Amino acid sequence: MLIIAQLSDFHVRPRGSTGYGDVDTSAMFRAAVDAVLAMDPRPDCVVVSGDLTDCGLDEEYQIVADGLAKLPMPVFVIPGNHDRREQLVRSLGSRHAYLPRGGFINFVEDRFPVRLICLDSVEAGETYGSFCAARQRWLRETLAAGRGKPTAIVIHHPPFLVGVDGMDELRLTDAAALEAIIREHRQVERVLCGHYHRAITVRYAGTVGYVAPSTAHQVALDLRPGTSNRFVMEPPAFAVHTWRPDMGMTSHLMPIGDYGGPFDIVLAGDYPGRAAHA
Ligand SMILES: [Fe+2]
Ligand SMILES: [Fe+2]
């Protein structure tokens, strides 16, 4: 079984700084790396769906680079709106050889039974994302070259609506073009996003759209129309996507932190069923 850990939205700050008032995003990033290392079995690879840093500073990327270097499995990163392409590639490029030197940070990873297509949705200077004609062309050609092989697309900005107004106004523009391209390719098992700091699943473009939570602060679930995003210190988490030929892809949520257990399940004497096994 292939195991992919999806981490997202580290928002790492320089040494001695916190984010959003008092959120120690860098310590929470290190805890996320430790949580991946503690998994048994360990993931075959890790994808990071953007917002590696909070401000795109070299010092922040150095902390990201050092933390990710502890992971023994391949790690793939894409930028988010809090990243700066040049600084990201300058700081991570030596250890992350797949990163294109210049231009959009689009790349394909084909060594696993699930093909990873990683997309750059950053519109520099903006919080929303974009997917211009050049990126559309690249994706169309890349998907066409991989017909028949299960594929996960990784992109920071969700291209679908989620019904939370504060989130939806930060989504991907040019989303109709992206949806049309994905809809033509039945091999796409998932569109894996970040940006919204909350686990969300939707039906999208004939496949499944998924938003991973942040390893740091989360965004509150606020379904009242017209409200703005506020953050909340719900448990940080990451996603674990598994794939097997007889199963396809499943997506699990892995909270980061000690919540007690695991404990053996002892059935109550009044349980109405039979024990599944002795
Ligand atoms: Fe973020
Ligand atoms: Fe973001």
CSV table of all heavy atoms in Angstrom, one decimal, residues 9 11 51 82 156 195 197, ligand 1:
chain,number,residue,atom,x,y,z
A,9,ASP,N,0.6,24.3,5.2
A,9,ASP,CA,0.5,25.5,5.9
A,9,ASP,C,1.3,25.6,7.3
A,9,ASP,O,0.7,25.9,8.3
A,9,ASP,CB,-1.0,25.9,6.1
A,9,ASP,CG,-1.7,26.1,4.8
A,9,ASP,OD1,-2.1,25.1,4.1
A,9,ASP,OD2,-1.8,27.3,4.4
A,11,HIS,N,3.5,27.9,8.0
A,11,HIS,CA,3.7,29.3,8.4
A,11,HIS,C,4.8,29.6,9.3
A,11,HIS,O,4.7,30.3,10.3
A,11,HIS,CB,2.3,29.8,9.0
A,11,HIS,CG,1.3,30.0,8.0
A,11,HIS,ND1,0.9,31.2,7.4
A,11,HIS,CD2,0.5,29.1,7.4
A,11,HIS,CE1,-0.1,31.0,6.5
A,11,HIS,NE2,-0.4,29.8,6.5
A,51,ASP,N,2.3,27.4,1.7
A,51,ASP,CA,2.5,28.2,2.9
A,51,ASP,C,3.5,27.6,3.9
A,51,ASP,O,3.2,27.4,5.1
A,51,ASP,CB,1.2,28.5,3.6
A,51,ASP,CG,0.3,29.6,2.9
A,51,ASP,OD1,0.8,30.1,1.9
A,51,ASP,OD2,-0.8,29.8,3.3
A,82,HIS,N,1.8,32.7,1.0
A,82,HIS,CA,2.7,33.2,2.0
A,82,HIS,C,4.2,33.0,1.6
A,82,HIS,O,5.1,33.4,2.4
A,82,HIS,CB,2.5,32.7,3.4
A,82,HIS,CG,1.3,33.3,4.1
A,82,HIS,ND1,1.4,34.2,5.0
A,82,HIS,CD2,-0.1,33.1,3.9
A,82,HIS,CE1,0.1,34.6,5.4
A,82,HIS,NE2,-0.7,33.9,4.8
A,156,HIS,N,-2.1,24.6,-3.9
A,156,HIS,CA,-2.3,25.3,-2.6
A,156,HIS,C,-3.8,25.8,-2.5
A,156,HIS,O,-4.5,25.6,-1.6
A,156,HIS,CB,-1.3,26.4,-2.4
A,156,HIS,CG,-1.5,27.2,-1.1
A,156,HIS,ND1,-1.3,26.6,0.1
A,156,HIS,CD2,-2.0,28.4,-0.9
A,156,HIS,CE1,-1.5,27.4,1.0
A,156,HIS,NE2,-2.0,28.6,0.5
A,195,HIS,N,-4.3,25.9,2.3
A,195,HIS,CA,-4.8,27.3,2.3
A,195,HIS,C,-5.9,27.6,3.3
A,195,HIS,O,-5.9,28.7,3.8
A,195,HIS,CB,-5.2,27.7,0.8
A,195,HIS,CG,-5.4,29.1,0.6
A,195,HIS,ND1,-4.5,30.1,1.0
A,195,HIS,CD2,-6.3,29.8,-0.2
A,195,HIS,CE1,-4.9,31.3,0.6
A,195,HIS,NE2,-6.0,31.1,-0.1
A,197,HIS,N,-6.7,25.9,6.1
A,197,HIS,CA,-6.4,25.5,7.5
A,197,HIS,C,-7.5,24.8,8.1
A,197,HIS,O,-7.9,25.1,9.3
A,197,HIS,CB,-6.1,26.8,8.3
A,197,HIS,CG,-4.8,27.4,7.9
A,197,HIS,ND1,-3.8,27.8,8.8
A,197,HIS,CD2,-4.3,27.8,6.7
A,197,HIS,CE1,-2.8,28.4,8.2
A,197,HIS,NE2,-3.1,28.4,6.9
B,1,FE,FE,-1.9,29.1,5.2
